[in-house]
Structure formats: C-alpha cells, structure tokens
Amino acid sequence: MIEFFTVTPNQVVKGNPEANAINLTWSVLSGTTNIQISGPSLASPLQNLSSRGSITVAASSTTLFILTAFNGALTTSSQGSITVIDPTPTPLPPPTGTPVPTATPRPTPFPPSIINTFKMKADPADGGAKVDQVESSSASPGTTVYSVKWGSRVVLEWTTSGAQSVNLVNFGSQPLSGTTGSPSSIVIQAPRNFQLQAINPGGTTDAFIQVNLAPVPVPPSPDIVNAVDQTATSVNITWNYDNLNVQKYDVIGFRVYKAANGSTSYQLANNNGLITNTARSWVDSNAPITCQQYKVVAVNLDSTGNPQESGSGSNIGGSQCPATPVPAAYNLPDYSNVSAGTMWTSSTSLDVLLPQDETVASSFTNRLRGMARVPQYR
C-alpha cells in the first residue's frame, strides 16, 4: 500500500535552478518485492527503492512521474507531475515614463510537520503492566523499540508541531497532541508495530514504535516440601516459598503432583487446578493407603501468556505411607469400668477373633497389652 507520493514543487521555470532540484518523496508500507519510479525525464526507471525516502531529479519539460510498488505479480502505483513553463521573455525597455510592472512573488514552500515525541507507557489502571524502552541496532530509523510483558495494557502518547492533522495507522484520526488512554488502552498479546503520521500541505512525517514481548524467566522451585497430618485417606502437603519470588517472577500459583513411591510418573494431585500463590499447604483428600510421594511446582505465565512451571529440583517429598488403622470390626469393647482389683482367671477370656492382616493384628495386639490386668487373649 502506497501511503503517499509527492512531487515538490509542482511547477518550475525552464532553465531555473529549481528545474534541477525537483524533490520526489514517498512512503510505502512493508510487504513489497520492488519499488520503482519512472518518468520521461529519467533515463530508466529507478529500481529497488526503500519503502520510505526521497530523491532529487531534474526536468526540462512538463513531466509525469509514476511510483509503482510490486508484490510479486501484484502492483499498485501513484502519480505526481511537475509543470515546466518557459521563462518570461525579457521585456523591452518601457517607454520613458512607463512604470516597470512589479513581479509576482513566488509562494513560500510549506514546512513539513514535526513529531516531537511518540512514546509508549504502561496504563496506570493496570498494576501488573511492564513496559521498558530498549536499544535495538536492527530497528529502522525513526523507530522506538519497547519490551512489554504479555497481557500488559499500554497507552501511546505524542506531541506534534506544524501539523494540520494526525493519523494513527489502524486507529484513525487523532488529536494533534494526545494519548490513547483508558478506557481506550491497548492490550499487548503479540509483537506489533504502531505508526503515527503528522500531515500538512508540506507532506507527511512518520514516527514508529516497535513492540517486542518481554522474556519471562521460569520461577524458582518451592523448597522443604513435607507431608504431615496423614490419615488413611488424606495427606497435608506443606512447602516454603519466598514472597519476594512471587512478586519478582509474577507467580500465579502452585501445582501439586504425586506418584507411587519410587515412581517417576507424576500426576496432578489437585484435579488440574491451580492453588493460589498465597497458599503454602494443600490437603490431598484422595490419598490411597499405598505409599505416595509428592512434589510442588510454582507457576507463572511465559512471554506468550501460557503457564510455565518451575523445575521440581530437590523438592520431592519423602515416601508417605499412611498408617493402616484397626478396622471398626475389631475395636475392643470398653473395659474402663473394670476395677483395678479385679483379677482375671485362667477361665476368663475375651471372645474376639484376630484379623488375618498382620499389620492390623499387631496393632490390635498392642492395644490388648495396654489394658490393665489382661493376661491372655484368643
């Protein structure tokens, strides 16, 4: 797309110095394979021109110049002309007493607009936005480069001088000096460019902003992961994490993984959910009786807005094997009302059948031994 193509001045007198200093100025958006200017006064078309620029040419007669932008087999063009007029013949000396006519003054060229500033900053309404201006040797002249955190809301600000109108490409007409602010702020979710145009009869002046997404480092791993207060069906997982790292790495929460003891096949334990970044513990209410091991990872968003996890590192908890309880079917009756002086005889027994499970039987046996004056059981 050709933004503009101007020929300045548009009329000259043949033989005058102006006829040898005709300025051709153009601007073409990117995405072209060739840009050329042709015209009768040129020996051959000027090929492979830059997307923005100007050249000086000469003309001895009225000439039409054509700017053509190629994109493969597709072309678009814009025209500009220069009118060359013959010089006014030198008048004969006027008769005595006849006044000499006053020459008509030539118009003064209109100075082009000036873009004093064109910059980007974080929207004050977005407390998590991060916008930093950076140096870039690969940026085009007139381009300011910014590194922006994904998802940040930003505003553009500019000031101009001598402009009669201002256009922000893809956003339309704008004040001569102004800002795009809340609620019209812009959300950055991908690299992009912005172009500001200041326009007056002298031409169009452009300024550019290039936005790159800021890289986001992986957050540090939680440490001192423990499993405590375990029962037959639940385990309370605890961990330590520095609040300074939550802020520095924009940690949005934690995930808990578990695996069978000795296995490396970890699965999410918290139903694919994200535990809040202020939490430092979580209860696994679906812990089977088999031994489990746990690990906790911190989560933030990468430069494209996708969750990324910290490494597990050394934060793998030890084997957690909840104790097997004595089933209710084997609970002993309450003999607390038996007086301390009561004696048990060889014919006295407890009519209880021991379970076959060795762990349960051992626990049952220990409970029997703890009772006062119980010499035997069967």
Side-chain angles (χ1 to χ4, degrees), residues 17 62 71 110-111 123 147 164 192 208 221 246 268 283 287 290 299 333:
T62 298
N71 186 1
F110 207 100
D123 186 343
S147 177
Q164 294 185 359
R192 62 183 302 182
F208 302 86
S221 303
V246 173
L268 271 174
V283 176
T290 57
V299 182

Side-chain angles (χ1 to χ4, degrees), residues 14-57:
K14 184 176 181 179
N16 281 8
E18 293 175 343
N20 296 318
I22 301 167
N23 189 36
L24 307 182
T25 305
W26 68 91
S27 177
V28 179
L29 292 182
S30 61
T32 61
T33 57
N34 184 24
I35 298 173
Q36 74 171 29
I37 296 177
S38 59
S41 66
L42 302 175
S44 61
L46 303 176
Q47 302 279 357
N48 299 314
L49 300 174
S50 61
S51 59
R52 295 192 301 273
S54 64
I55 60 172
T56 300
V57 298

Side-chain angles (χ1 to χ4, degrees), residues 44-300:
S44 61
L46 303 176
Q47 302 279 357
N48 299 314
L49 300 174
S50 61
S51 59
R52 295 192 301 273
S54 64
I55 60 172
T56 300
V57 298
S60 59
S61 61
T62 298
T63 301
L64 178 68
F65 295 99
I66 301 174
L67 174 71
T68 304
F70 297 82
N71 186 1
L74 302 176
T75 63
T76 184
S77 61
S78 180
Q79 300 178 352
S81 62
I82 179 71
T83 301
V84 180
I85 60 176
D86 292 327
T88 303
T90 303
L92 296 173
T96 304
T98 302
V100 177
T102 303
T104 302
R106 294 176 182 150
T108 302
F110 207 100
S113 307
I114 299 174
I115 298 178
N116 300 311
T117 60
F118 183 38
K119 58 186 179 180
M120 173 182 287
K121 68 177 185 179
D123 186 343
D126 184 355
K130 291 184 179 180
V131 178
D132 296 302
Q133 183 177 339
V134 297
E135 297 293 332
S136 175
S137 58
S138 61
S140 302
T143 300
T144 306
V145 181
Y146 289 87
S147 177
V148 180
K149 173 189 171 184
W150 181 91
S152 294
R153 302 186 69 88
V154 301
V155 296
L156 304 176
E157 294 182 341
W158 63 88
T159 59
T160 66
S161 300
Q164 294 185 359
S165 63
V166 169
N167 177 57
L168 185 59
V169 175
N170 297 326
F171 291 83
S173 180
Q174 302 292 329
L176 300 184
S177 294
T179 180
T180 59
S182 297
S184 301
S185 57
I186 303 163
V187 180
I188 301 299
Q189 294 181 317
R192 62 183 302 182
N193 298 321
F194 297 92
Q195 180 180 0
L196 186 72
Q197 298 175 319
I199 307 164
N200 71 8
T204 301
T205 302
D206 297 273
F208 302 86
I209 284 178
Q210 175 182 321
V211 178
N212 299 323
L213 290 178
V216 179
V218 174
S221 303
D223 57 12
I224 314 180
V225 177
N226 293 313
V228 298
D229 299 332
Q230 52 192 354
T231 68
T233 58
S234 68
V235 176
N236 184 24
I237 312 302
T238 65
W239 61 90
N240 287 354
Y241 206 76
D242 194 332
N243 286 329
L244 293 178
N245 285 335
V246 173
Q247 300 174 6
K248 180 178 178 181
Y249 294 92
D250 294 315
V251 172
I252 60 175
F254 301 93
R255 287 175 178 164
V256 176
Y257 290 84
K258 67 179 178 180
N261 189 27
S263 172
T264 58
S265 298
Y266 281 88
Q267 303 293 327
L268 271 174
N270 54 320
N271 297 323
N272 296 329
L274 191 66
I275 303 171
T276 175
N277 63 2
T278 59
R280 298 297 182 268
S281 66
W282 178 77
V283 176
D284 182 6
S285 299
N286 297 308
I289 292 179
T290 57
C291 299
Q292 297 288 307
Q293 58 189 20
Y294 293 85
K295 68 177 181 179
V296 182
V297 297
V299 182
N300 66 0

Side-chain angles (χ1 to χ4, degrees), residues 346-378:
S346 59
S347 62
T348 304
S349 64
L350 299 177
D351 190 14
V352 178
L353 179 64
L354 286 175
Q356 296 299 312
D357 182 274
E358 293 183 4
T359 302
V360 176
S362 175
S363 175
F364 185 81
T365 302
N366 290 336
R367 292 184 59 187
L368 281 174
R369 290 173 177 169
M371 297 180 60
R373 299 178 180 272
V374 179
Q376 63 179 0
Y377 60 89
R378 65 178 176 88

